[in-house]
Amino acid sequence: MRIIHSPRHALHDGGMELHRGALVPCFEMPARVDHILAAVARAGWRVEPPREYPDAVLAGVHDADYLAFLRGAYAQWRAEGREGFMLPGAFPARGLRRDRVPTGLHARLGYYAFDAGSPIVAGTWQAAQAAAHCALTAADLVAAGERSAYALCRPPGHHAGRGMFGGYCFLNNAALAAQRLRDAGLARVAILDVDYHHGNGTQDIFWQRDDVPFVSIHGDPDTEYPFYLGHADERGAGAGDGCNHNFPLPRGTDWTRYAATLEQALERIAGHAPQALVVSLGVDIFEGDPISQFKLQAADFPRLGARIAALGLPTVLVQEGGYAVAEIGDNVAAVLAAFD
């Protein structure tokens, strides 16, 4: 298993999030990576640094004005005499204008964010950029002939849309990997998202495209974050009509129900005849996760990995969620072992 990781992830550290009405320390923390790296070492896999890529590559899935905001937001924050972390305090909700990008920092912060749970700190851009490079490197390895590669990305990415951040995500690593594989000449690349929370950003990016079908199994958005996307009737639009497949499941879902849904999801993927697969690997479907409500146990993760690997597709696995910190490493390694 080729594993790509950058220590620059640790630059994104600190801050608080607004979680279900309470201001709390972020569940998405650097220690998550420490436990994954420890499990990787126990498995005997070698960790490689990412290659470097120009920021122009990021524009393959993100708007230029959004990238410029992320690059410069914290420097502007400091220039205004502020310290600590940045969180938005207002958003352009229904009835407010979204056709005009504001000039003031606080207004732009709310314009590009969709929640108050994703603080920007001094090293956020550098960490997000490094995570993107990890995903791009893994995609390049698979495009060059590797059967699989794992991008240990932090911060995660699947909630980041073409021009928005939230859900701890700033750059959409899975989308960047899929676009990189497309740019390498693969005609169709599927994305399977198994994170507990719907990958609204990935859906946003590929909503009108038929070359990157998106399939997601996740908690029911009627009660689970990100709430406003992820319903089963969201099928794509334009050229992408019929290429978006959501499988929302209720709280308390265990392996028996999850496995049956996984079979349906994999059938949808196979029906699109992709040449490669990108997996948004969130292990917050684990029963002990503090912000998720499925009931998969540790023994279920090898089964999950084996079933996805059985598709026989060249596969890029991209790290997303998983907030039961002590168990995250073993759960990730159990999935990866199926591809080794």
Side-chain angles (χ1 to χ4, degrees):
M1 171 60 67
R2 303 287 292 273
I3 297 177
I4 315 301
H5 172 62
S6 170
R8 282 195 284 165
H9 82 92
L11 295 172
H12 179 63
D13 186 17
M16 306 277 281
E17 64 171 290
L18 191 63
H19 176 70
R20 295 189 180 265
L23 195 62
V24 299
C26 293
F27 290 97
E28 203 292 293
M29 62 184 71
R32 299 172 62 243
V33 167
D34 297 337
H35 285 270
I36 296 174
L37 290 174
V40 163
R42 289 193 296 272
W45 295 317
R46 183 170 64 90
V47 177
E48 308 171 37
R51 302 168 186 172
E52 294 293 315
Y53 297 84
D55 285 349
V57 175
L58 307 179
V61 301
H62 290 294
D63 295 337
D65 63 304
Y66 171 65
L67 294 172
F69 167 77
L70 288 181
R71 272 193 300 266
Y74 199 81
Q76 186 175 351
W77 176 263
R78 291 290 290 122
E80 293 184 1
R82 298 178 177 272
E83 297 181 353
F85 59 94
M86 303 171 60
L87 281 180
F91 305 91
R94 290 185 298 276
L96 302 179
R97 293 184 64 173
R98 291 199 59 88
D99 62 322
R100 177 188 174 109
V101 181
T103 58
L105 177 61
H106 295 281
R108 284 191 297 135
L109 184 59
Y111 180 86
Y112 290 113
F114 68 87
D115 68 16
S118 308
I120 294 176
V121 299
T124 296
W125 169 252
Q126 291 83 352
Q129 184 185 51
H133 292 180
C134 290
L136 291 165
T137 301
D140 280 346
L141 290 172
V142 168
E146 292 286 342
R147 293 300 297 173
S148 63
Y150 167 59
L152 176 44
C153 296
R154 183 183 170 273
H158 71 150
H159 293 305
R162 180 165 290 279
M164 65 181 181
F165 71 93
Y168 312 138
C169 302
F170 301 92
L171 298 174
N172 195 309
N173 306 310
L176 286 163
Q179 185 62 51
R180 190 72 175 177
L181 291 168
R182 285 285 294 110
D183 292 342
L186 281 72
R188 184 173 287 106
V189 178
I191 299 177
L192 172 64
D193 192 323
V194 298
D195 192 280
Y196 180 77
H197 306 93
H198 177 250
N200 60 290
T202 312
Q203 176 171 302
D204 168 58
I205 290 168
F206 297 112
W207 182 249
Q208 298 191 59
R209 291 174 55 172
D210 63 358
D211 57 333
V212 185
F214 175 65
V215 181
S216 178
I217 309 171
H218 51 268
D220 188 338
D222 275 342
T223 60
E224 307 308 308
Y225 183 93
F227 304 118
Y228 309 112
L229 281 180
H231 297 281
D233 63 351
E234 297 162 13
R235 300 277 296 163
D241 187 15
C243 295
N244 194 90
H245 308 279
N246 288 325
F247 294 89
L249 292 171
R251 291 184 170 203
T253 291
D254 63 6
W255 173 250
T256 299
R257 181 164 187 174
Y258 191 94
T261 304
L262 177 64
E263 291 304 315
Q264 297 178 56
L266 296 179
E267 287 175 7
R268 297 289 178 87
I269 289 172
H272 289 285
Q275 294 176 295
L277 177 68
V278 175
V279 178
S280 273
L281 181 57
V283 294
D284 46 1
I285 52 179
F286 176 58
E287 62 178 349
D289 197 273
I291 59 173
S292 306
Q293 304 295 330
F294 285 173
K295 299 300 180 183
L296 273 70
Q297 301 177 5
D300 298 325
F301 288 95
R303 301 182 183 119
L304 174 63
R307 189 59 194 90
I308 299 172
L311 285 174
L313 292 170
T315 302
V316 177
L317 299 107
V318 178
Q319 188 60 48
E320 302 286 2
Y323 309 101
V325 176
E327 295 87 1
I328 187 174
D330 289 338
N331 291 339
V332 167
V335 175
L336 298 184
F339 293 86
D340 192 26

